[in-house]
Amino acid sequence: EPEVTQTPSHQVTQMGQEVILRCVPISNHLYFYWYRQILGQKVEFLVSFYNNEISEKSEIFDDQFSVERPDGSNFTLKIRSTKLEDSAMYFCASQLAGGRNEQFFGPGTRLTVL
Amino acid sequence: DAKTTQPTSMDCAEGRAANLPCNHSTISGNEYVYWYRQIHSQGPQYIIHGLKNNETNEMASLIITEDRKSSTLILPHATLRDTAVYYCIVTNYGGATNKLIFGTGTLLAVQP
């Protein structure tokens, strides 16, 4: 069964460093998402991406964040200058088509900022 | 997006049906009800969704009241592996992308 994969599973970085979280969505999916979950808190929407551009972003997704689909298979989330409060699980999700199709989530990347 | 209200936690005996309620009294006509679950710290997993008719798939059944203000997710024969946080989410299907707004969900503990 096709699945969304994410790498790395755990990333440790120093405050102020740049990190890139990688996702490989399901191959024929067209819609992509990033969510995050701070330990013990809700899953929060960050950004949605379709047709090579951002469709929607939350207030969390400020200028420090960017997304890219560089080669037609990977979908990346970059945080330019990490802060302590960026420590969280980051989940990528993909969706076959828009509307009421379900989203398939990856296993997540645990980001720890020291 | 409409908000949902779910109990914080529920217990269920293994092998019995688990009935998880959700209140979405402000749901609008073009919003679907979705259920996802999250086992420990894994990525959320889609379970089922519906608009106004009852739905069933291999995982669960979804019962939506006639006025659509509430729904119940039914796991017919709960197993220990069904222990998870279950999220009831309403979302508009009209846009190109539909972000999911997660609440705190219901922690279902299946007891042996």
Side-chain angles (χ1 to χ4, degrees), chain A residues 31 33 35 37 42-43 45 48 55-56 89 91 95 98-103 105-106, chain B residues 32 34 36 38 41-44 46 49 87 93 95-100 102-104:
Chain A
Y31 297 78
Y33 304 81
Y35 294 81
Q37 186 174 31
K42 300 177 191 179
V43 177
F45 166 78
S48 58
S55 301
E56 187 174 1
M89 281 288 285
F91 297 108
Q95 187 179 23
R100 55 187 189 271
N101 293 274
E102 64 265 36
Q103 294 179 26
F105 284 76
Chain B
Y32 276 70
Y34 283 77
Y36 283 77
Q38 188 175 26
S41 293
Q42 297 177 24
Y46 166 81
H49 73 275
Y87 299 101
Y93 67 84
T97 61
N98 50 322
K99 64 186 179 189
L100 298 174
F102 289 81
T104 52

Side-chain angles (χ1 to χ4, degrees), chain A residues 32-98:
Chain A
F32 313 107
Y33 304 81
W34 283 102
Y35 294 81
R36 80 171 186 190
Q37 186 174 31
I38 295 170
L39 187 63
Q41 298 189 23
K42 300 177 191 179
V43 177
E44 301 174 287
F45 166 78
L46 291 179
V47 65
S48 58
F49 190 85
Y50 168 68
N51 200 25
N52 271 326
E53 59 183 26
I54 291 173
S55 301
E56 187 174 1
K57 57 185 180 179
S58 72
E59 291 178 355
I60 302 168
F61 195 89
D62 61 21
D63 291 345
Q64 293 300 310
F65 291 88
S66 63
V67 289
E68 200 176 34
R69 190 159 157 77
D71 55 12
S73 61
N74 290 285
F75 179 50
T76 61
L77 174 69
K78 182 193 290 185
I79 309 175
R80 287 190 185 81
S81 178
T82 49
K83 308 184 194 70
L84 295 176
E85 54 265 36
D86 292 328
S87 294
M89 281 288 285
Y90 288 80
F91 297 108
C92 170
S94 71
Q95 187 179 23
L96 175 61

Side-chain angles (χ1 to χ4, degrees), chain B residues 20-38:
Chain B
L20 292 93
C22 179
N23 182 290
H24 32 80
S25 57
T26 60
I27 193 170
S28 59
N30 61 352
E31 288 181 317
Y32 276 70
V33 180
Y34 283 77
W35 284 83
Y36 283 77
R37 72 180 183 183
Q38 188 175 26

